[in-house]
Amino acid sequence: MVIKQINNRIKVVLLIIFVISMILIIKVFYIEVFSYQKLHKLANDLWSRNLPITADRGLIMDRNGKVLAGNITKTTLVLIPNQIKNKEEVTKNLARILDVSYDEMKKHVFKNTSIERVHPDGRRLDFTVADQINSLNYDGVYLLKESVRNYPYNNLLSHVLGFTGIDNQGLSGLELLYDDYLKGVDGSIKYYSDGKGARLTHPEVYNEPVNGMNLYLTIDIDIQASIERELDNVIAKYNPEHALIIVEDPNTGEILGMASRPNFNPNYYQNYKSEVINRNLPIWMTFEPGSTFKIITLAAAIEEGKVNLFEDHYYDTGSIRVANAKIKCWKPGGHGYESFLNVVENSCNPGFVVLGERLGKETLFRYINAFGFGSKTNIDLNGEEDGILFNLDKVGPVELATTAFGQGISVTPIQQINAVSAVINGGNLLKPYVIKMVVDPVSNNILYENKKTLIKDHIISENTSKLVKFALESVVANGTGRNAYLENYRVGGKTGTAQKVENGHYLYGNYILSFMGFMPADKPEVVVYVAIDNPKGVIQYGGTVSAPVAKNVLQDIASILKMDKDISGMPKVYNWYESKYVILPDVTGLSKDEALKKLKGFSISYVGSGSSIINQNPVGNSYVLEGSNVKLMLN
Amino acid sequence: MKEKQLIIFSFLSLSIIGLVMIYSSSYIWALYKYNNQYKFLFNQLIFFILGLFLLLIVYKMDLNIIKRYSNHLLILAIILLGLVLIPGVGIVRNGSRSWFGIASFGIQPSELAKLALIIYTAKYLSLNYSVMKNIKKGLIPILIVIFLFFGLIMLEPDFGSGFILVASIIGMLFIGNTRLSFFTYSALFGMLGISGLVLVAPYRMARIISFLNPWSDPLGTGFQIIQSLYAIGPGGLFGQGFMNSIQKHFYLPEPQTDFIFAIIAEEFGFVGILVIVSLFFIIFYAAMRIAFKEHDLFKKYLVFGLAFNIIFQAFLNLGVVIGLLPVTGVTLPFISYGGSSLIISILEIGLILNISCDLK
């Protein structure tokens, strides 16, 4: 009886113990299987010291893959104070090699921390310095790879590219705007250490850094180099307050080049004032555009049927009365009797006032808005301004008149070039952009690609666009833009001489001289906008200062983009003091006599002694300087 | 005899695993503290061999002698427990005055007291089985003895040893022809008491449940549990491999003692833990079969009390190490480093094996 009761109780205890064993096993299973990830990570954080390895930032490249922002590898000094044995000696030697005071270095070496980055004295070390430290072979002193941003072309494209800070983080420009793509993910070397900080023999774990994504721009580095060079020349020659050049592809909205002065060297950004760094003038500066704005008025007037360039005429007396104001033409005495094509060629202000009056304020401002003025273009850069238009309710006859020739409204250069692009590409306003695509450097997958973005189509008709292009080619061949005439290529363009406003008053003798040029004039592939703010020591006309700069740029672009020569455009009308260019006939295949007849007026030299011409230099059917030397190769 | 072989196999396995794991978990501490990586292993090995000799003696002994002298043994235990409290005689280690220092070894009288009380209780229950249902005549006298022991041990203070001692005797009373209602009432009484204590000082509640979230005080009360979990968790299913524990590198303090189970879990993973728990359960299961078949009441109670003591101590240790119970400072029998604990555990096995010889 007693035995039985005891045995029953023993069974109960056995059962309870069995249940408890199961609970213990299940709990251990839970810890080792379900909590494994969490505990493993926490324990690893406890056991390991992560020595950081910076990722390479993504490259920024031009449209052809030339690197504009790259990386160079330097070394960074990292200490694990617990592993350093002779701290005084280490402090003394590191201080000597890095050329800092003993006390400064002591702060790092004696710091009570698991891992110490010697900032800033131990950052971005050259290999020679790193080698000296390495040769000491101290425990707890680590030299790690550090990737440092490098801009191989220095000042080139500085405002667009921006720059990065000491920790390789994007601080301005594209570096800031696309930092998430560019920065990549830093890696590390994980060393295991014991509870006292000494290094364990467990193999270290290498977490490879993931390099940033590469950025391809729409910029062409050769075109950019050309405009940078021209701006440098402008600065040297005229010492203006500001100067800028933009090159855009009018058919896509791609920006091929963008530069301004003053600029900076992103490798040494600390040496510049923040205004210089932060103001990307082509998208930030606002000013009254002056006569280049007449392109908009002209396009609107033709589209609305308010003018026939060839039939309609106007007599310019040198001024025009609007309401109670007298608006003067830039030419004292006026241009006299002229067709409206002449009005455009001469950039005659009273003529454009008439066009403005014919359009009326509603219509003119409708076009101005349609071409994107008064609002941001939303180009993929930061720091863009809006520009300022008259409030339509407050536009009286005088405001309408001045707006028609580009005074009294305020625009940004990017708005101006983008609007003109729309005029000459057949009437479609596009979004300008500088990022072509973002590419993964490992897989070469395109993560993001910018395409042509239409903002507003058919603002003007194809035909109107053609007429405007014709008129603007004529401006360069016969009118105020003749300094931009490029032999063998067809160039269209418009000068601008805008008076600057300060505190509500026009400044005397202080102008922004601009030129808007495009090429080829019949089927434009590029538009170039040059604006120079208050050049010194020169007659302040856009035609004399900015047009030659645009011409140089266009000439470079013609060879960079390998544009075909075209002599079918309007011939230039020469002044008596200018050297003339004439078409050199093609004489290859002709006999010597026939060739001589055709080449009247040229000085000729021969190579060889045959009777028929097999080659000539320069090649035929191109403009050459009148009377220049022609080499003929005989068979 | 099946039970005997099972017990011998399991206890030897556990002891050998213990020796190996004491070396694996302690050599870094040993090297750091004593400049001798085998220090703890050698000490434990000496006690193990000594234990085996004692086991043979106990195994061959006539248990009637033990039964006869159990009162003397009990008195000796009380004297030792009293002596150890005297400063200068008892040595303080880890905050409790619970050791006699002999040469570089320490002896814990509470371990001996535990064994003595189990033997005494077995005798008491076997002699008084007819009055055990009577609380006054049967239970009160033995409870007085238990609380005398518990009181003396708590004066050291060593809550872990005291708790195991009380739990082992309660376990014996449970099977000792007592009324179930007694346990129900005392459980209720205990809960009321705890509730009262918590109501008087609510911080006690936070203390009691703080072990459930060791991260609430990661550098204080939670420290050992967190370090233990950092060992067990990364062990995973199959462990980091023998000798590969990282936590023993000065992260888990004294990894060869109370928390050695965590290092086993780190090096051998869930599979290793399954083996350890199974071996303990096999010992208990085999001992219960012996108790089941034994007809002599003294031996029946004794074999139950000894096995219950071993498994209870083992599970209490595991519960602490895996964070199910608050930290109490209890060693894992056969495995944790510690001479007194190992010898007493081996003696207990010797007594169980002795009783197993009765089975035909």
Side-chain angles (χ1 to χ4, degrees):
Chain A
M1 184 54 209
V2 173
I3 298 287
K4 198 166 176 245
Q5 199 206 358
I6 294 174
N7 284 353
N8 283 339
R9 294 263 173 108
I10 288 176
K11 280 185 198 164
V12 172
V13 173
L14 187 59
L15 185 70
I16 292 171
I17 292 294
F18 180 74
V19 171
I20 294 174
S21 337
M22 293 320 286
I23 292 172
L24 292 173
I25 285 172
I26 289 167
K27 172 71 176 174
V28 171
F29 187 79
Y30 180 83
I31 296 174
E32 299 207 300
V33 177
F34 292 103
S35 304
Y36 174 81
Q37 291 294 342
K38 181 188 142 203
L39 289 170
H40 187 76
K41 195 197 161 289
L42 285 169
N44 255 287
D45 291 348
L46 176 73
W47 298 333
S48 58
R49 302 286 183 274
N50 275 348
L51 303 181
I53 301 170
T54 54
D56 282 348
R57 266 180 96 75
L59 303 175
I60 303 181
M61 292 179 273
D62 87 333
R63 60 190 299 124
N64 299 316
K66 293 222 175 86
V67 176
L68 303 171
N71 300 291
I72 47 178
T73 301
K74 297 260 183 175
T75 308
T76 195
L77 177 63
V78 173
L79 305 175
I80 297 185
N82 279 330
Q83 296 179 0
I84 298 174
K85 283 174 191 134
N86 188 345
K87 292 199 178 186
E88 267 91 11
E89 184 194 323
V90 170
T91 307
K92 207 179 76 200
N93 281 322
L94 288 181
R96 175 176 54 77
I97 293 169
L98 296 179
D99 197 23
V100 294
S101 71
Y102 179 86
D103 290 335
E104 182 63 35
M105 187 50 66
K106 195 174 170 180
K107 280 187 215 154
H108 297 296
V109 177
F110 284 78
K111 196 161 179 182
N112 184 16
T113 180
S114 69
I115 179 159
E116 169 73 354
R117 201 177 245 238
V118 182
H119 178 90
D121 304 305
R123 302 286 301 274
R124 304 187 165 188
L125 303 177
D126 286 328
F127 284 113
T128 48
V129 177
D131 243 18
Q132 286 183 59
I133 296 173
N134 198 31
S135 65
L136 296 172
N137 227 346
Y138 285 131
D139 287 340
V141 175
Y142 295 86
L143 292 160
L144 301 171
K145 175 210 156 201
E146 184 180 15
S147 179
V148 177
R149 200 47 147 177
N150 174 252
Y151 303 91
Y153 297 98
N154 295 314
N155 295 37
L156 183 124
L157 200 64
S158 50
H159 281 109
V160 173
L161 294 177
F163 57 88
T164 60
I166 181 91
D167 289 315
N168 243 3
Q169 76 281 32
L171 290 182
S172 91
L174 293 176
E175 296 277 26
L176 174 63
L177 206 56
Y178 286 81
D179 199 36
D180 287 343
Y181 278 120
L182 290 166
K183 67 184 171 196
V185 182
D186 286 350
S188 64
I189 298 178
K190 220 178 242 227
Y191 289 100
Y192 285 94
S193 66
D194 68 18
K196 295 184 187 298
R199 197 166 147 188
L200 292 178
T201 50
H202 285 69
E204 57 260 35
V205 178
Y206 177 64
N207 283 326
E208 199 175 353
V210 180
N211 293 341
M213 304 298 155
N214 290 342
L215 228 59
Y216 283 84
L217 306 186
T218 59
I219 302 290
D220 183 312
I221 192 180
D222 295 322
I223 295 175
Q224 184 70 25
S226 164
I227 65 178
E228 299 275 6
R229 183 201 66 224
E230 286 305 316
L231 285 175
D232 286 340
N233 290 342
V234 164
I235 297 297
K237 212 163 154 188
Y238 303 120
N239 189 28
E241 287 169 38
H242 308 100
L244 62 93
I245 302 179
I246 313 175
V247 183
E248 180 175 346
D249 179 341
N251 304 309
T252 61
E254 289 176 305
I255 301 298
L256 301 174
M258 177 183 274
S260 55
R261 295 291 180 276
N263 64 347
F264 64 97
N265 183 342
N267 289 316
Y268 307 102
Y269 66 92
Q270 307 92 330
N271 303 342
Y272 298 85
K273 285 192 206 133
S274 64
E275 302 98 88
V276 169
I277 288 174
N278 294 336
R279 292 176 183 170
N280 187 9
L281 300 181
I283 61 170
W284 180 83
M285 196 177 182
T286 58
F287 52 85
E288 300 192 12
S291 304
T292 55
F293 194 75
K294 288 171 182 164
I295 298 170
I296 308 301
T297 311
L298 177 65
I302 296 173
E303 180 70 14
E304 292 293 316
K306 301 293 185 195
V307 68
N308 182 322
L309 288 179
F310 310 101
E311 310 285 320
D312 293 359
H313 287 77
Y314 171 71
Y315 191 87
D316 174 27
T317 60
S319 69
I320 185 167
R321 185 158 284 282
V322 177
N324 289 324
K326 191 173 147 192
I327 292 171
K328 282 187 191 164
C329 189
W330 60 271
K331 184 177 179 186
H335 294 96
Y337 186 70
E338 53 185 354
S339 74
F340 270 92
L341 183 61
N342 299 138
V343 167
V344 180
E345 287 169 0
N346 296 332
S347 196
C348 171
N349 288 349
F352 274 91
V353 171
V354 170
L355 291 182
E357 284 169 348
R358 287 186 189 176
L359 280 164
K361 68 174 183 179
E362 275 82 13
T363 312
L364 179 60
F365 274 78
R366 198 178 74 229
Y367 278 94
I368 289 172
N369 282 313
F371 278 113
F373 292 102
S375 54
K376 291 185 172 73
T377 64
N378 290 321
I379 185 170
D380 44 0
L381 290 170
N382 43 19
E384 189 182 2
E385 283 292 323
D386 291 297
I388 306 158
L389 300 182
F390 282 121
N391 187 334
L392 199 54
D393 301 333
K394 296 196 175 138
V395 175
V398 178
E399 286 78 14
L400 173 64
T402 59
T403 301
F405 60 86
Q407 294 283 172
I409 63 161
S410 175
V411 307
T412 62
I414 191 72
Q415 283 173 344
Q416 182 69 3
I417 191 172
N418 206 45
V420 171
S421 293
V423 171
I424 62 174
N425 72 10
N428 302 314
L429 186 70
L430 303 172
K431 185 171 147 181
Y433 61 97
V434 296
I435 300 291
K436 204 172 174 60
M437 55 189 176
V438 180
V439 177
D440 182 328
V442 180
S443 65
N444 277 322
N445 286 339
I446 296 172
L447 302 174
Y448 166 79
E449 188 169 15
N450 247 338
K451 295 242 168 64
K452 171 173 162 175
T453 312
L454 195 61
I455 294 172
K456 196 168 173 65
D457 60 350
H458 297 100
I459 302 168
I460 57 169
S461 70
E462 201 65 59
N463 210 35
T464 305
S465 179
K466 256 184 205 152
L467 277 168
V468 175
K469 283 185 274 189
F470 173 83
L472 295 178
E473 187 177 3
S474 167
V475 169
V476 172
N478 312 317
T480 48
R482 282 173 33 256
N483 282 337
Y485 189 87
L486 198 55
E487 287 76 18
N488 296 320
Y489 294 97
R490 295 180 62 177
V491 174
K494 184 75 196 77
T495 57
T497 307
Q499 241 179 318
K500 279 165 70 182
V501 180
E502 208 172 86
N503 304 324
H505 296 285
Y506 283 107
L507 299 174
Y508 179 74
N510 191 338
Y511 298 89
I512 291 179
L513 308 181
S514 58
F515 187 82
M516 182 75 72
F518 57 91
M519 174 174 76
D522 53 335
K523 256 182 73 192
E525 289 172 32
V526 291
V527 201
V528 175
Y529 185 50
V530 178
I532 300 167
D533 180 2
N534 193 18
K536 315 288 184 331
V538 67
I539 308 165
Q540 294 209 345
Y541 282 125
T544 43
V545 176
S546 293
V549 174
K551 175 188 173 169
N552 293 343
V553 172
L554 287 168
Q555 193 154 29
D556 284 348
I557 292 174
S559 78
I560 291 163
L561 299 183
K562 300 190 173 62
M563 286 185 176
D564 295 329
K565 289 188 177 180
D566 184 351
I567 54 168
S568 64
M570 291 177 212
K572 184 176 177 179
V573 174
Y574 291 97
N575 286 328
W576 58 270
Y577 52 83
E578 289 172 323
S579 330
K580 286 193 180 57
Y581 281 77
V582 293
I583 294 180
L584 172 68
D586 188 351
V587 295
T588 50
L590 300 181
S591 72
K592 207 170 158 184
D593 289 345
E594 285 169 321
L596 268 178
K597 233 180 268 172
K598 283 202 162 192
L599 294 176
K600 209 167 254 174
F602 292 96
S603 81
I604 298 165
S605 55
Y606 299 101
V607 178
S609 55
S611 60
S612 67
I613 286 98
I614 55 168
N615 206 347
Q616 73 179 84
N617 183 24
V619 291
N621 288 328
S622 62
Y623 277 99
V624 297
L625 208 57
E626 198 178 38
S628 58
N629 186 282
V630 182
K631 269 196 187 117
L632 298 178
M633 190 186 275
L634 304 172
N635 64 341
Chain B
M1 265 180 275
K2 221 168 127 204
E3 286 82 3
K4 192 194 270 184
Q5 285 151 356
L6 275 176
I7 290 173
I8 292 173
F9 167 77
S10 300
F11 126 78
L12 281 178
S13 303
L14 285 171
S15 301
I16 289 164
I17 291 173
L19 287 169
V20 169
M21 287 313 297
I22 280 169
Y23 173 67
S24 172
S25 56
S26 73
Y27 77 95
I28 290 152
W29 269 97
L31 204 56
Y32 174 72
K33 258 182 122 170
Y34 303 103
N35 207 20
N36 172 10
Q37 56 178 325
Y38 302 110
K39 165 91 178 169
F40 294 106
L41 174 66
F42 282 166
N43 282 358
Q44 187 79 348
L45 199 60
I46 289 167
F47 280 110
F48 180 62
I49 293 163
L50 183 64
L52 287 182
F53 277 114
L54 291 173
L55 180 141
L56 284 175
I57 294 166
V58 170
Y59 178 62
K60 292 290 175 198
M61 206 173 185
D62 179 2
L63 284 181
N64 285 321
I65 298 172
I66 290 181
K67 190 177 176 184
R68 193 179 313 141
Y69 288 105
S70 64
N71 293 7
H72 300 84
L73 202 60
L74 193 73
I75 289 162
L76 175 68
I78 290 174
I79 291 168
L80 288 177
L81 281 179
L83 275 178
V84 84
L85 293 175
I86 299 165
V89 181
I91 298 167
V92 178
R93 274 195 207 169
N94 297 330
S96 46
R97 192 177 295 282
S98 58
W99 301 79
F100 291 119
I102 298 168
S104 68
F105 298 119
I107 288 176
Q108 277 184 296
S110 58
E111 291 285 334
L112 177 69
K114 192 172 69 183
L115 186 58
L117 193 58
I118 290 170
I119 295 168
Y120 176 80
T121 307
K123 181 184 171 189
Y124 181 90
L125 288 175
S126 65
L127 294 177
N128 297 292
Y129 72 93
S130 53
V131 294
M132 284 315 289
K133 291 206 177 357
N134 183 322
I135 289 181
K136 231 183 223 171
K137 284 187 180 169
L139 276 172
I140 297 289
I142 187 73
L143 285 178
I144 288 171
V145 177
I146 294 171
F147 282 112
L148 175 65
F149 272 73
F150 183 70
L152 282 170
I153 293 175
M154 284 309 285
L155 284 175
E156 295 178 357
D158 182 356
F159 177 76
S161 299
F163 183 58
I164 290 165
L165 183 136
V166 171
S168 303
I169 306 307
I170 299 274
M172 292 174 78
L173 294 180
F174 178 74
I175 64 159
N177 200 25
T178 46
R179 285 182 201 281
L180 264 185
S181 57
F182 164 68
F183 295 94
T184 322
Y185 289 138
S186 45
L188 275 174
F189 183 74
M191 272 192 245
L192 276 175
I194 291 171
S195 310
L197 287 173
V198 168
L199 278 175
V200 171
Y203 76 89
R204 289 199 175 111
M205 191 65 191
R207 271 271 181 85
I208 291 167
I209 61 162
S210 75
F211 73 91
L212 291 174
N213 181 15
W215 276 272
S216 62
D217 186 11
L219 295 176
T221 53
F223 181 75
Q224 277 182 305
I225 285 300
I226 289 174
Q227 295 305 325
S228 175
L229 291 176
Y230 283 177
I232 301 171
L237 269 180
F238 302 103
Q240 309 264 31
F242 179 52
M243 297 295 279
N244 288 344
S245 157
I246 295 180
Q247 280 295 84
K248 67 189 176 192
H249 290 269
F250 305 113
Y251 288 108
L252 185 62
E254 303 211 20
Q256 72 277 16
T257 60
D258 298 353
F259 282 86
I260 193 166
F261 184 76
I263 304 296
I264 299 174
E266 189 180 3
E267 297 195 349
F268 294 101
F270 179 69
V271 174
I273 292 326
L274 209 55
V275 169
I276 301 284
V277 173
S278 302
L279 288 172
F280 275 112
F281 188 78
I282 288 168
I283 290 176
F284 185 69
Y285 175 76
M288 287 309 102
R289 283 176 64 99
I290 296 166
F292 208 77
K293 294 174 189 166
E294 178 62 58
H295 288 281
D296 179 87
L297 275 183
F298 171 67
K299 290 182 180 175
K300 202 176 178 75
Y301 286 128
L302 184 60
V303 75
F304 174 86
L306 296 169
F308 185 76
N309 170 253
I310 291 171
I311 196 95
F312 186 84
Q313 185 173 343
F315 284 1
L316 184 62
N317 176 277
L318 263 57
V320 168
V321 172
I322 65 181
L324 278 177
L325 298 170
V327 176
T328 39
V330 175
T331 55
L332 184 58
F334 309 115
I335 295 183
S336 286
Y337 175 77
S340 310
S341 164
L342 179 66
I343 283 183
I344 295 299
S345 299
I346 293 176
L347 282 179
E348 289 180 329
I349 292 293
L351 288 170
I352 293 171
L353 291 175
N354 184 322
I355 295 166
S356 75
C357 295
D358 286 6
L359 303 183
K360 292 283 170 315

